[in-house]
Amino acid sequence: MCDACGCGDSNVVPVALSERVLAANDRGARHNREHFHDHGVIAVNLMGGPGAGKTAILEASAQALAALGEAEKVGVLAGDLATDHDAARVRAAGILAESITTGSACHLDAEMVHRGLHRLAWRSLDFLFIENVGNLVCPAVYDLGQDANVVALSVTEGEDKPLKYPTMFQKADLVLLTKTDLLPQLPDIDVARIATNLSHVMPKPAMITMSVRTGEGIDQWIQWLHGLKHLRASMRASIVGPV
Amino acid sequence: MHEYSIVQALFDRIQDAARERGAVAVRRVKLRIGEIAGVDVDLLQTAYDLFRVRTICEGAWLDVERVSARWTCPDGHGDIARGHALVCPACARPARLAAGDEIVLEQLDLEVP
Ligand SMILES: Nc1nc2c(ncn2[C@@H]2O[C@H](COP(=O)(O)OP(=O)(O)O)[C@@H](O)[C@H]2O)c(=O)[nH]1
Ligand SMILES: [Mg+2]
Ligand SMILES: [Zn+2]
Ligand SMILES: [Zn+2]
Ligand SMILES: [Zn+2]
């Protein structure tokens, strides 16, 4: 008898399914997305390797938004292995933040985010940032219900990272190239080559060069967020139709 | 690694499908995994072999079909050659991913009494 296909064995039935293995997570993500849309909240999934500067971006964003009087319209859920470190840093910078303890998980999933929502007054926000677990592969696989994917990549990580991690960059709406203040110390890193590599993995390549030390790119990033908000508002208006 | 959580999700689904059809064992689990789906197939196999012990999948072979990434023009000008920027050379539109990000449970071969 053939073990592999069960031939000659009349009681083996093939069942065609063609289903996404992560269908349960997809359902959870859809549920989160409905929550966000119902309350006009824009959720941003901030991903990147460990130490890429994700929390630093959120701290700098908190300050920039506070200067515009928009700090109370922004909140953060920070995926953290076991500590409250990142959320505490963001709170110290003046915005609402809670951590999602992930334990040994290498990514956030839709259900973890949903649980996190129960601990954060997110309904009145314009923007909810979700700082994902520091990892350039796994977080990209799980939809959380976000409106946009933003990937932080630091100049110290090397030019080839977009080509090595296409799964993540393919899904990115925006790449924040961080720590550009360090470029003078990194003569081998060519920003133009990073942009070229991005164009080979991102269908609509978009990159902002940024440094929380010099403030480079922060204004552009806040503008990008405001652009996203207006785009979403006009999309919602067109779905509802003219009154 | 998330390969373990993928296998966990897979087993949840297999158990439901087997129960629905009154299966006593699973003989084969056929998956399609895209090149840029973010799944390491060797790790997935390792996770599967750990999980299947003393489950309905104990004797089930994991059959993985790899799917290459394919980017294409949304306006029908054909596929983008590998190693090129993801815009259509004919119309400059951003390419669309036609295949390569799937993590799909394609088929189960179930042993029914
Ligand atoms: N020089 C420099 N260091 C930065 C910058 N942004 C973050 N860092 C440092 O990089 C380290 C990791 O940053 P963090 O925000 O914790 O990264 P995360 O793990 O992605 O959240 C910290 O020591 C930060 O001070 C930057 O723009 N310039
Ligand atoms: Mg952090
Ligand atoms: Zn809910
Ligand atoms: Zn993983
Ligand atoms: Zn075209």
Side-chain angles (χ1 to χ4, degrees), chain A residues 6 13 21-22 26 39 63 71 76 157 220 237:
Chain A
V13 291
V21 173
L22 298 178
D26 292 344
H39 295 275
Q63 278 148 18
V76 171
E157 288 172 83
Q220 228 183 316

Side-chain angles (χ1 to χ4, degrees), chain B residues 73-78 88-93:
Chain B
C73 168
D75 246 9
H77 296 122
C88 174
C91 68
R93 291 196 181 204

Side-chain angles (χ1 to χ4, degrees), chain A residues 11-194:
Chain A
N11 58 355
V12 173
V13 291
V15 180
L17 292 168
S18 296
E19 289 173 13
R20 279 175 53 82
V21 173
L22 298 178
N25 185 72
D26 292 344
R27 281 192 295 277
R30 229 164 15 241
H31 179 86
N32 290 347
R33 194 165 274 124
E34 277 167 22
H35 279 321
F36 298 144
H37 285 198
D38 286 350
H39 295 275
V41 176
I42 294 171
V44 176
N45 183 13
L46 180 57
M47 299 180 280
K54 298 179 293 300
T55 310
I57 290 165
L58 295 174
E59 292 171 310
S61 309
Q63 278 148 18
L65 289 162
L68 298 171
E70 297 174 23
E72 74 287 353
K73 302 298 275 177
V74 182
V76 171
L77 282 176
D80 216 321
L81 298 182
T83 68
D84 188 43
H85 258 112
D86 286 358
R89 274 171 63 189
V90 178
R91 276 197 298 273
I95 57 181
L96 200 65
E98 284 294 333
S99 47
I100 303 176
T101 307
T102 55
S104 60
C106 49
H107 59 270
L108 292 176
D109 65 25
E111 199 198 318
M112 292 179 201
V113 169
H114 192 262
R115 265 184 278 139
L117 291 177
H118 293 153
R119 297 190 290 113
L120 193 84
W122 59 274
R123 287 178 180 80
S124 57
L125 302 176
D126 285 347
F127 290 101
L128 173 69
F129 295 103
I130 303 165
E131 179 177 340
N132 218 309
V133 179
N135 183 318
L136 273 173
V137 182
C138 320
V141 179
Y142 291 81
D143 187 7
L144 306 177
Q146 71 275 13
D147 288 283
N149 286 320
V150 175
V151 179
L153 174 70
S154 57
V155 291
T156 52
E157 288 172 83
E159 296 168 350
D160 57 341
K161 288 303 166 292
L163 302 178
K164 280 194 173 158
Y165 298 97
T167 305
M168 174 147 298
F169 290 97
Q170 169 239 321
K171 293 194 174 165
D173 297 293
L174 176 68
V175 171
L176 298 175
L177 185 66
T178 62
K179 311 191 191 182
T180 52
D181 57 288
L182 299 176
L183 281 170
Q185 277 86 296
L186 302 164
D188 294 340
I189 299 290
D190 178 2
V191 172
R193 172 152 300 114
I194 297 176

Side-chain angles (χ1 to χ4, degrees), chain B residues 12-97:
Chain B
D12 290 346
R13 183 64 189 97
I14 293 173
Q15 251 136 27
D16 286 349
R19 200 177 307 118
E20 268 167 44
R21 291 168 180 82
V24 292
V26 181
R27 288 289 185 85
R28 180 174 75 139
V29 177
K30 182 164 193 303
L31 302 181
R32 274 194 307 128
I33 307 278
E35 179 186 350
I36 57 172
V39 175
D40 180 324
V41 173
D42 290 336
L43 272 177
L44 190 75
Q45 180 73 54
T46 305
Y48 176 80
D49 289 339
L50 272 174
F51 266 85
R52 72 164 149 178
V53 180
R54 281 188 291 279
T55 71
I56 196 161
C57 288
E58 178 109 49
W61 165 54
L62 184 67
D63 178 6
V64 178
E65 180 194 341
R66 310 290 335 251
V67 181
S68 299
R70 192 165 65 78
W71 291 89
T72 196
C73 168
D75 246 9
H77 296 122
D79 291 349
I80 311 298
R82 281 180 95 87
H84 285 254
L86 300 179
V87 288
C88 174
C91 68
R93 291 196 181 204
R96 179 176 61 78
L97 188 65

